[in-house]
Amino acid sequence: MTQDKKGRWKMLFLLALPFLVFLFSISVGRYPVSIDSLAGALRAQISGGEMDTAQLALIRVRLPRTLLAMIVGASLSLSGVVYQGIFKNPVVSPDLLGASNGASFGAALAILLGSASGRIQMFAFFGGVTAVAFVALMNRVVSRRSRSVVNLVLCGMLVSSLFNAFLSFIKFVADTETKLPSITFWLMGSLSSVTLKDLQVFWLFLPAALLLLLVRWKVNILSMGDEEARMLGVNVKGYRWLIIACATALTSLSVSISGNIGWVGLVVPHLARMFVGSNYNRLLPASLLIGSAFMLLVDTAARMLMTVEIPLSILTAVIGAPFFFLLLVRTKKGFL
């Protein structure tokens, strides 16, 4: 079998993977659901017909949760893989520039103020965007003396630390009986409280994801280095900030939906590299597809392994840490 044919079969498998995992996830749980029941519930929802209790639970609870898990996984994976490309570092993740810390602070502030779930999501999203905006402002000041991508990373570390301190202060002043447990549980990551209305975030996810997929060949050039990219006629600064803006939107969006979930944006891009290699033309779509399936499997395990739901960040860490160790072991073999 030729290399091109192998590549096509791999991409076909990756295209089918999220769909197969979706069918598995939607049908399993404490109350198993058949595919026929799902089809009947969807027909009733579209036609406005009457639905029984099981169909209502399927449409209003399990289906939104399944779809949002896929959106969160795809968002974190896309953000992680483009960050690894533009920063030329295979071990960076979507929280590099402080988006996750800013979003976590925004959500914690909203919970402290007693806001409803919709406002918590809004605060989290704008918190992540604000954090990266601070990074951009600080980098602009620093870059007047020296232009280096390292300055951007250092500014990201400073802003992450600052927003982490703000988050710690909120946890310090929060009521230990009501607010603090809510903040702590939210930060650990969960999709247990999502509703059908939350699917509106798809219209924020779609343009950011499409933009990254459209400029994925530019990530190939940026990963070669700034000087090489400029010699090839690429607007390095413009494309870098466009990619950072899209990745920030996706990271903030995912944190606003599910809380702070680590490891996905680090682990999934490397899984994708094992399938399709390091060419970002294939790597970005592969990361999106694998990330959506991976997060959906994690969420399915979170609601099925125990009688109480396991926070998502625990499961992703249990999976991600051993994988990262294997990654370090394979470094000598040229995996990176």
Side-chain angles (χ1 to χ4, degrees):
M1 188 179 292
T2 64
Q3 194 68 27
D4 288 343
K5 198 168 183 180
K6 282 183 180 180
R8 285 196 295 269
W9 278 109
K10 286 180 179 179
M11 289 307 297
L12 286 174
F13 169 74
L14 292 179
L15 285 170
L17 181 63
F19 178 71
L20 295 174
V21 175
F22 170 81
L23 293 179
F24 167 75
S25 180
I26 200 74
S27 61
V28 300
R30 296 181 185 178
Y31 302 100
V33 176
S34 66
I35 302 302
D36 291 339
S37 299
L38 173 62
L42 288 174
R43 283 195 298 269
Q45 175 72 18
I46 293 171
S47 63
E50 293 185 4
M51 291 186 284
D52 56 30
T53 304
Q55 289 177 323
L56 284 172
L58 178 62
I59 292 296
R60 297 182 181 179
V61 179
R62 189 174 295 182
L63 181 62
R65 177 169 183 162
T66 303
L67 294 175
L68 285 168
M70 298 177 75
I71 289 175
V72 169
S75 297
L76 292 173
S77 302
L78 271 179
S79 301
V81 73
V82 296
Y83 271 10
Q84 290 173 11
I86 65 173
F87 290 107
K88 302 179 286 297
N89 189 333
V91 292
V92 301
S93 58
D95 57 358
L96 179 69
L97 300 183
S100 296
N101 293 81
S104 297
F105 164 73
L109 178 62
I111 294 173
L112 182 68
L113 297 175
S115 302
S117 60
R119 185 157 294 188
I120 292 172
Q121 291 180 358
M122 183 180 70
F123 271 57
F125 180 81
F126 285 107
V129 173
T130 301
V132 178
F134 274 125
V135 172
L137 182 62
M138 293 172 65
N139 180 70
R140 186 174 181 179
V141 174
V142 173
S143 296
R144 291 174 181 174
R145 295 187 177 183
S146 63
R147 294 182 178 273
S148 173
V149 72
V150 176
N151 291 335
L152 188 60
V153 175
L154 292 175
C155 291
M157 293 173 60
L158 290 172
V159 171
S160 294
S161 179
L162 183 64
F163 275 90
N164 192 47
F166 292 159
L167 175 61
S168 297
F169 178 76
I170 286 180
K171 292 166 72 174
F172 175 73
V173 301
D175 185 272
T176 56
E177 298 294 328
T178 56
K179 304 296 184 182
L180 184 58
S182 298
I183 292 172
T184 302
F185 184 76
W186 189 91
L187 290 173
M188 294 175 74
S190 175
L191 289 166
S192 60
S193 60
V194 297
T195 63
L196 195 60
K197 186 179 179 181
D198 293 324
L199 285 175
Q200 293 176 356
V201 301
F202 175 77
W203 301 112
L204 293 174
F205 162 79
L206 185 63
L210 281 177
L211 270 174
L212 289 180
L213 291 174
L214 287 173
V215 301
R216 63 187 185 274
W217 66 278
K218 298 287 187 182
V219 182
N220 268 329
I221 299 175
L222 292 174
S223 66
M224 298 166 58
D226 291 359
E227 292 300 323
E228 290 82 355
R230 290 191 184 96
M231 289 176 63
L232 292 172
V234 173
N235 183 348
V236 174
K237 185 177 179 180
Y239 275 104
R240 177 178 290 143
W241 280 110
L242 173 64
I243 291 168
I244 288 175
C246 292
T248 298
L250 291 175
T251 303
S252 302
L253 181 67
S254 65
V255 176
S256 71
I257 297 169
S258 61
N260 201 349
I261 303 173
W263 293 98
V264 178
L266 174 61
V267 169
V268 171
H270 289 293
L271 288 174
R273 283 186 181 91
M274 295 171 67
F275 274 91
V276 300
S278 298
N279 187 332
Y280 285 89
N281 286 323
R282 290 187 174 184
L283 186 57
L284 262 71
S287 295
L288 183 151
L289 295 169
I290 295 175
S292 60
F294 175 81
M295 195 68 243
L296 187 50
L297 285 173
V298 170
D299 183 60
T300 304
R303 60 184 172 85
M304 290 186 62
L305 288 178
M306 297 179 63
T307 54
V308 294
E309 190 166 310
I310 304 173
L312 295 174
S313 61
I314 294 176
L315 289 178
T316 55
V318 168
I319 297 169
F323 180 86
F324 190 70
F325 175 74
L326 293 175
L327 187 67
L328 293 175
V329 171
R330 293 191 60 174
T331 301
K332 293 182 179 179
K333 300 179 181 179
F335 183 70
L336 296 179

